Amino acid sequence: GYCCNDDRHRDRLKHMIEEFYNKTQHAVVTPQNTDKFIDTHRAWSTHHNVTLQWDFLELFSGAGRLSASGHALGLRVGPPIDYRYGWDIANTDHQKKLNKLIAYFRPTVVHGAMDCRVWSIANTTGEPQQKAKERQQASQHLAWINDLCFTQDRRGRAFILENPLASAIWTKSPLQPLTEKFGKQRCDQCMLGL
């Protein structure tokens, strides 16, 4: 998935077929309509005396495949969050909107599939200064992800972050404290058809 206003990300998204909104026909949730989305759900919840909670929220969702699959299985799924839907997770205003969504809907599991290209140990091409610059740019939103995951843990909820096992994201980014506290788990997605 992608988070940033960057031509490379836009180009990659052109080749990924959107799955969540195409399958569910739900209205797209964007940073611009988040407050109205929350207010509408709060009013419905109050009127029906029901507490709303999501089972799953997908960040850096790309095509929204996990969200679509969860929805098809009957899970209460939040809107997939990705640049293709107008979200820039590196934007602090968008992070505040996401914090509001997460505070209200309290997702049981937050999943994030951060872009691994700049953190990959296989990435040996390109200028070292450019790689350092890109890692620095990613650090701001990774710090937000780090805080989000620790908040999920403090509140008895879960998180899953996806990146290659040997990725430098676990040791040379703001996610290092998560790795130190929780370690890493190996999941071979190809074996699962993902």
Side-chain angles (χ1 to χ4, degrees):
Y2 304 99
C3 70
C4 306
N5 185 1
D6 179 307
D7 289 336
R8 290 177 302 158
H9 301 315
R10 272 192 292 276
D11 289 343
R12 289 180 143 222
L13 289 173
K14 285 183 207 173
H15 304 288
M16 264 190 241
I17 297 171
E18 199 287 328
E19 296 186 37
F20 179 78
Y21 290 111
N22 283 330
K23 290 178 180 175
T24 65
Q25 298 300 303
H26 290 179
V28 177
V29 178
T30 69
Q32 292 72 34
N33 67 14
T34 297
D35 291 331
K36 184 175 182 179
F37 179 82
I38 293 170
D39 291 344
T40 300
H41 284 79
R42 183 177 286 123
W44 184 92
S45 175
T46 301
H47 180 74
H48 294 283
N49 197 28
V50 174
T51 302
L52 298 175
Q53 182 175 9
W54 291 333
D55 296 312
F56 184 77
L57 177 65
E58 181 182 16
L59 306 176
F60 308 98
S61 63
R65 177 171 291 163
L66 286 177
S67 297
S69 297
H71 183 270
L73 291 170
L75 295 177
R76 297 164 297 179
V77 176
I81 305 299
D82 198 86
Y83 183 72
R84 81 178 321 136
Y85 310 115
W87 292 97
D88 181 351
I89 296 176
N91 179 313
T92 55
D93 290 334
H94 292 201
Q95 291 171 6
K96 290 174 186 172
K97 298 278 187 178
L98 288 169
N99 287 339
K100 284 183 177 181
L101 280 172
I102 292 164
Y104 183 74
F105 290 102
R106 303 170 333 280
T108 303
V109 176
V110 172
H111 178 275
M114 298 79 59
D115 188 358
C116 64
R117 289 173 297 162
V118 70
W119 302 100
S120 173
I121 60 170
N123 182 358
T124 58
T125 61
E127 294 293 321
Q129 291 130 340
Q130 181 63 27
K131 186 189 297 187
K133 179 182 174 189
E134 289 177 7
R135 285 183 176 183
Q136 181 60 38
Q137 289 171 338
S139 290
Q140 190 274 334
H141 75 267
L142 293 177
W144 178 79
I145 293 290
N146 182 71
D147 292 345
L148 169 61
C149 292
F150 274 108
T151 299
Q152 282 286 106
D153 179 62
R154 276 192 309 277
R155 295 186 174 149
R157 301 189 307 248
F159 63 89
I160 301 167
L161 298 179
E162 178 185 320
N163 232 257
L165 191 63
S167 173
I169 204 167
W170 308 121
T171 57
K172 297 180 179 174
S173 84
L175 298 180
Q176 183 177 356
L178 285 173
T179 306
E180 291 171 357
K181 179 169 182 181
F182 299 104
K184 300 181 282 186
Q185 296 295 317
R186 181 184 180 122
C187 175
D188 293 314
Q189 295 180 17
C190 295
M191 184 175 73
L192 301 171
L194 300 173

